Amino acid sequence: MISVKHLSKAYGDLQALDKVSFEIGSGEIVGLLGPNGAGKSTVIKLLTGFLQPDSGTADIGGVSVMADPIAVQAQIGYLPENAPLYPELTVIDYLQMMADLRGVPPNQQRDSLADAVYATGLEKRINQRIGELSKGFRQRVGIAQAILHRPKLLILDEPTVGLDPSQIIEIRQLIKRLAEHSTILFSTHILPEVETLCDRVLMLMNGQLRLDAKLADLAHSTDLVLVLDSPPTDVESSLAKLPSVAAVVAEENTFTLTAEGEADLAPAVFECAIQQKWQVRELRPDVRSLETIFNEVINT
Ligand code: ATP
């Protein structure tokens, strides 16, 4: 659905993006993560044809964004960081105006509006002025305008920024529902948002792509942590002798084991602990959280 190759963009002397490449397949929900100023909005503006890159290419659905931004924009639903809404318009008048602007054929507008209003839960607000809505509902209106033309790809720039916790949960649920029919790329600097919503994470730092990984792969680990009460002195050497153990690191009563390849160490460690009569407090996979990975990325 999205293919980005060596995309670079500078603002004057500032290299905002530096040879960024990634691919996003149909149906994926991908979080673009990074601290303030990392380059997230720049990626999004390049993908949506609002900016031209200095070098590199971006294709969406096989069409070059640079060569034919209008054709690409017709395939995309875009929620900018500060969606330009018209506070004096009612929700329905605004969505009607956006359907006209997006070229939704007149005979399809009724259904498109009804679907967008239903999908975003705006049924009871359609006759209210946008300026009178809470921020969470205004964000829903922004998302409704993005899905009016039933795009296969939704690009959302920080969709939950500035919302209160309950509004955040609602917008996340809405994104999850929309993901049933569309590919979604959204930017955020909120780690739990990525953990709850995404299949994949792209992590930017100083304009460079530092991580491109599936959440399931990040959560997968063959390393094991064993925590004992009052460990005897020979624990480390006993663990090191077990089959497929590549390394053991001991720190007070905590022993971290690294496996050879994809070996599952848990059964042998468990067996050994029973035989040696160790008092086991914990035996768990050594999974690094997204927060740990994020900190590693921003500190390297
Ligand atoms: P945030 O989370 O704060 O929105 P971001 O990851 O979206 O940040 P960008 O908005 O892409 O980051 O900005 C990347 C860098 O480029 C930042 O240092 C920013 O100050 C700079 N920048 C962005 N737009 C412009 C511009 N129009 N002119 C000059 N510098 C810009």
Side-chain angles (χ1 to χ4, degrees), residues 269-282:
V269 171
F270 191 63
E271 190 62 38
C272 176
I274 291 171
Q275 276 176 11
Q276 307 275 346
K277 296 195 170 55
W278 294 337
Q279 293 172 42
V280 177
R281 179 179 285 239
E282 263 182 70

Side-chain angles (χ1 to χ4, degrees), residues 132-157:
E132 294 165 6
L133 296 175
S134 68
K135 214 163 175 181
F137 273 99
R138 283 207 295 273
Q139 199 67 330
R140 289 178 193 221
V141 176
I143 294 175
Q145 65 75 28
I147 60 174
L148 274 174
H149 55 308
R150 303 190 173 109
K152 292 197 196 86
L153 173 65
L154 268 177
I155 298 184
L156 313 172
D157 200 351

Side-chain angles (χ1 to χ4, degrees), residues 22-201:
F22 59 85
E23 307 264 330
I24 295 178
S26 280
E28 281 193 284
I29 170 158
V30 178
L32 184 58
L33 195 64
N36 291 129
K40 305 181 293 295
S41 294
T42 303
V43 168
I44 286 179
K45 285 178 191 157
L46 290 168
L47 286 179
T48 48
F50 284 84
L51 276 181
Q52 283 287 321
D54 299 330
S55 58
T57 59
D59 292 0
I60 292 185
V63 180
S64 160
V65 183
M66 289 85 217
D68 197 348
I70 305 289
V72 166
Q73 282 164 4
Q75 296 187 56
I76 299 176
Y78 174 37
L79 177 72
E81 195 173 355
N82 299 303
L85 301 172
Y86 295 84
E88 69 284 3
L89 291 185
T90 63
V91 170
I92 198 69
D93 286 346
Y94 169 72
L95 292 177
Q96 178 72 62
M97 180 186 85
M98 292 308 289
D100 288 337
L101 285 175
R102 287 198 183 277
V104 177
N107 62 347
Q108 291 174 21
Q109 286 195 1
R110 204 184 155 84
D111 285 350
S112 290
L113 285 167
D115 287 352
V117 165
Y118 175 73
T120 49
L122 282 167
E123 296 95 326
K124 292 187 181 149
R125 312 283 168 159
I126 53 172
N127 293 316
Q128 223 170 318
R129 284 183 205 282
I130 292 172
E132 294 165 6
L133 296 175
S134 68
K135 214 163 175 181
F137 273 99
R138 283 207 295 273
Q139 199 67 330
R140 289 178 193 221
V141 176
I143 294 175
Q145 65 75 28
I147 60 174
L148 274 174
H149 55 308
R150 303 190 173 109
K152 292 197 196 86
L153 173 65
L154 268 177
I155 298 184
L156 313 172
D157 200 351
E158 306 212 13
T160 59
V161 78
L163 303 183
D164 73 28
S166 62
Q167 292 167 337
I168 288 176
I169 291 168
E170 283 169 19
I171 295 295
R172 284 182 191 163
Q173 286 168 341
L174 170 57
I175 294 173
K176 199 107 199 161
R177 283 202 304 276
L178 295 173
E180 288 166 17
H181 304 288
S182 311
T183 306
I184 298 192
L185 172 68
F186 73 94
S187 71
T188 180
H189 46 252
I190 306 169
L191 302 178
E193 200 139 283
V194 173
E195 282 173 318
T196 357
L197 286 174
C198 296
D199 305 316
R200 244 173 80 204
V201 58

